[in-house]
Amino acid sequence: MKLAILTDTNSGISSQEAQERGVFLLDMPLIIDDKVYYQGKNLTDSDFCQALEGDQCVTTCHPSLGDLVKSWEDLFKQGFDQVVYIPMSSALSSSCSSAKLLAESYPGRVHVVDNHRISVTQKASVLKALALAHKNKTGQEIKEDLEKEALRATIYLSVNNLDYLKKGGRVTPAAAAIASVLNIKPILTIQGEKIDSYGRVRGRIQRAQQKMLLAIQKDLKEKFSQESLDDLSLGLTGFGISKDLEEAWLDLAREAFPQVRIHYDPLPASIASHTGPGAFGIGLSLDSI
C-alpha cells in the first residue's frame, strides 16, 4: 500500500520543507482587496504585514471543493492508494467538515483527520502521521491515532495590540483603545476548540513571552504530567518579527525547556490576519509514536 500525507499551509510547513519531508501541501487562499494570494508563493510575510498595516481589506478562506478533489485525484494519479488529509481544526474553519463530506465519495481511500489543531501543533500531527506511515500503518489507523490524541495539545499567542482583533469583531473598539493607552498586550490560547483569552501583561513583549513560558510549565505539570519529555513537541511561531527577535524567542524557550524538542515556524496567515504583526506563539503537543 502506498500512502500519501496531505496537509494545508495552516500547519506552517513551507513548500520546501514539505518537499524535503515527503509531505503534500494544499495552499490556503488569502484575499487582499478582492485578489487571491497564497502565503509563501505569491505573498511574502513582509507583503502581508504591509497589507495589514496599510488597512487593506484582508480575509481568509478555505480551498474550493474543486481544488480539494483535484489534490486527492492528483495523488491517486501518482500511484498512491490512500490519502491521509490533515486540515486545520474543524472548530476554526468549515474546511475540515467539507473535506469529510467529500471523503465519503472515496471510501477507504481518503481519510480526513479532525484533530483540532493548527499551526505548530498541526505540524506536529503531520510529522507523527509520517512516522506512522513509515511503520506501515494504514490511513484509518493513522486517522484514529491522531484523533485519539487530538486534545493533547495547547497553544498560547501574544498579541502586540488589539487593533486586528477589533477589525475582526473579536473585541470592541473601546477595549482596543484602552489596551493601547495602557500598553496592554493580550495573551490568547487555543485549547483545541476555539481561540480564548488567557491573560494580559503591560509593557514589553518579553513579559508576554515569560507569561506564555510559565503557562507551558504549568501545562507540563498538570496536563502532561504523566508524559515523557521525549514524547513532547514544543513549537515556536511568530509573525511580523525580525530575525533577531525570532532567535531571542528561541533562546528563551531553549533555556526554559532544555530537554524538549523545539522548532520554529512562521505563524500561518489564517491566524496572523487576526493577531497582526508583532505576534509570538508557542505550542506544546503529545506526539509519541
Side-chain angles (χ1 to χ4, degrees):
M1 181 187 67
K2 194 175 178 184
L3 187 148
I5 305 297
L6 172 70
T7 189
D8 59 44
T9 48
N10 283 310
S11 62
I13 298 176
S14 66
S15 298
Q16 180 179 343
E17 183 180 8
Q19 186 174 8
E20 291 171 352
R21 292 186 179 275
V23 172
F24 296 91
L25 204 57
L26 185 63
D27 294 309
M28 298 295 286
L30 187 73
I31 302 173
I32 302 177
D33 289 342
D34 297 324
K35 185 176 179 180
V36 178
Y37 294 87
Y38 297 94
Q39 189 178 21
K41 283 198 170 179
N42 61 345
L43 181 72
T44 66
D45 283 354
S46 177
D47 292 336
F48 188 29
C49 282
Q50 289 181 19
L52 290 171
E53 292 172 335
D55 206 28
Q56 293 178 258
C57 180
V58 177
T59 56
T60 57
C61 60
H62 52 75
S64 70
L65 299 183
D67 286 343
L68 194 55
V69 169
K70 183 179 183 301
S71 70
W72 297 346
E73 292 288 353
D74 285 347
L75 290 171
F76 293 140
K77 289 177 182 177
Q78 293 179 45
F80 290 98
D81 303 300
Q82 294 187 18
V83 176
V84 174
Y85 177 45
I86 308 172
M88 68 183 291
S89 170
S90 62
L92 301 172
S93 168
S94 62
S95 177
C96 183
S97 300
S98 299
K100 279 182 172 288
L101 287 174
L102 283 176
E104 292 178 2
S105 299
Y106 298 85
R109 302 187 73 195
V110 176
H111 305 272
V112 179
V113 179
D114 183 11
N115 70 338
H116 302 283
R117 298 189 184 187
I118 192 170
S119 188
V120 291
T121 56
Q122 182 181 346
K123 177 178 179 176
S125 295
V126 174
L127 298 185
K128 182 178 183 180
L130 273 177
L132 291 171
H134 290 155
K135 290 180 176 290
N136 296 318
K137 297 294 184 180
T138 66
Q140 182 62 30
E141 287 172 331
I142 294 174
K143 169 183 164 68
E144 291 174 356
D145 188 292
L146 295 184
E147 291 186 342
K148 179 182 177 182
E149 302 293 344
L151 300 181
R152 304 300 303 277
T154 182
I155 288 180
Y156 298 94
L157 290 165
S158 66
V159 181
N160 193 42
N161 58 59
L162 289 175
D163 291 348
Y164 301 95
L165 290 171
K166 177 187 70 175
K167 289 179 183 179
R170 295 179 181 271
V171 298
T172 65
I178 292 171
S180 178
V181 170
L182 297 179
N183 195 19
I184 292 174
K185 290 179 172 52
I187 297 175
L188 311 175
T189 185
I190 303 176
Q191 302 292 333
E193 295 301 322
K194 59 181 179 178
I195 300 176
D196 285 317
S197 173
Y198 177 76
R200 60 185 184 180
V201 298
R202 291 184 63 181
R204 298 183 304 165
I205 192 64
Q206 286 82 359
R207 291 185 177 179
Q209 291 173 335
Q210 291 293 347
K211 191 175 181 70
M212 289 190 290
L213 292 173
L214 288 173
I216 291 292
Q217 288 177 344
K218 182 180 179 182
D219 286 337
L220 281 171
K221 292 178 181 178
E222 297 177 1
K223 193 172 183 178
F224 300 95
S225 61
Q226 304 301 314
E227 313 303 338
S228 167
L229 293 180
D230 292 336
D231 295 334
L232 298 174
S233 174
L234 189 64
L236 303 188
T237 188
F239 175 69
I241 62 175
S242 67
K243 191 67 177 179
D244 288 344
L245 289 176
E246 176 186 319
E247 291 297 333
W249 183 211
L250 278 165
D251 288 342
L252 276 176
R254 287 168 179 154
E255 183 179 352
F257 306 104
Q259 294 176 291
V260 180
R261 292 169 293 146
I262 298 177
H263 62 88
Y264 180 93
D265 293 286
L267 194 66
S270 58
I271 297 181
S273 61
H274 298 295
T275 65
F280 292 82
I282 185 168
L284 180 69
S285 56
L286 172 66
D287 295 293
S288 58
I289 305 301

